[in-house]
Amino acid sequence: MQVAVLNGVNLDVLGERDATLYGGIGLGDLETRIYGWAKEVGLTVRCLQTNHEGQYVEWCHDVRRWAGGVVVNPGAWTHYSYAIRDALEIAGLPAVEVHLSDISSREKWRRHSVLEGIAIGAVSGEGPDGYLEALEMLKQALG
């Protein structure tokens, strides 16, 4: 089963961000791990990253044509982008939300996710390993 992994704003500079919050690895290393984990759980993934909200929305529209599910980490867009929420709802695919840091224990504005209610699950605060948990959730949902 083909799955999309959509990473959003500022994840391209992941290795330059606070390692205690974000795991201390770069996006390339994270994607390498994701490809390996996907293979372990019996999925095929395509990882995409953008800093442009409109592009992220376009990918959410497009994935319904080639993927059976999606793992999303919109970054800060998680907290306010109803455009991304609507696009994921339009896609109609099982989606798992993942965050490297524990958004529930961070600044007040980070504690709310506009994806709540449309994602089948969420993983937060597990660092890079959260993507493995998200892939496992998605695999279970896809049967």
Side-chain angles (χ1 to χ4, degrees):
M1 174 72 60
Q2 180 83 15
V3 170
V5 176
L6 304 180
N7 284 305
V9 65
N10 294 320
L11 286 163
D12 61 321
V13 291
L14 185 58
E16 300 170 39
R17 300 187 77 184
D18 184 342
T20 61
L21 291 174
Y22 299 104
I25 67 169
L27 181 62
D29 291 335
L30 176 61
E31 289 179 344
T32 297
R33 289 184 189 184
I34 291 168
Y35 286 118
W37 289 326
K39 187 174 181 178
E40 287 175 19
V41 300
L43 297 171
T44 303
V45 297
R46 184 186 311 172
C47 294
L48 301 166
Q49 187 281 326
T50 186
N51 290 320
H52 303 280
E53 186 178 10
Q55 179 63 68
Y56 202 95
V57 167
E58 292 291 337
W59 286 340
C60 291
H61 293 169
D62 187 52
V63 295
R64 62 189 169 166
R65 293 174 180 77
W66 58 267
V70 60
V71 172
V72 295
N73 182 347
W77 294 324
T78 300
H79 315 294
Y80 65 88
S81 179
Y82 289 96
I84 289 174
R85 178 194 167 89
D86 287 350
L88 282 171
E89 193 169 37
I90 290 165
L93 298 174
V96 177
E97 178 182 355
V98 65
H99 300 284
L100 295 160
S101 67
D102 180 5
I103 62 173
S104 69
S105 66
R106 296 199 53 200
E107 302 92 338
K108 186 177 179 179
W109 64 269
R110 289 189 198 268
R111 296 178 190 163
H112 170 72
S113 170
V114 299
L115 305 181
E116 189 174 325
I118 63 165
I120 62 168
V123 181
S124 178
E126 300 297 323
D129 291 342
Y131 283 84
L132 171 57
E133 192 174 332
L135 289 168
E136 289 171 339
M137 262 191 235
L138 200 52
K139 173 68 174 186
Q140 185 175 5
L142 295 171

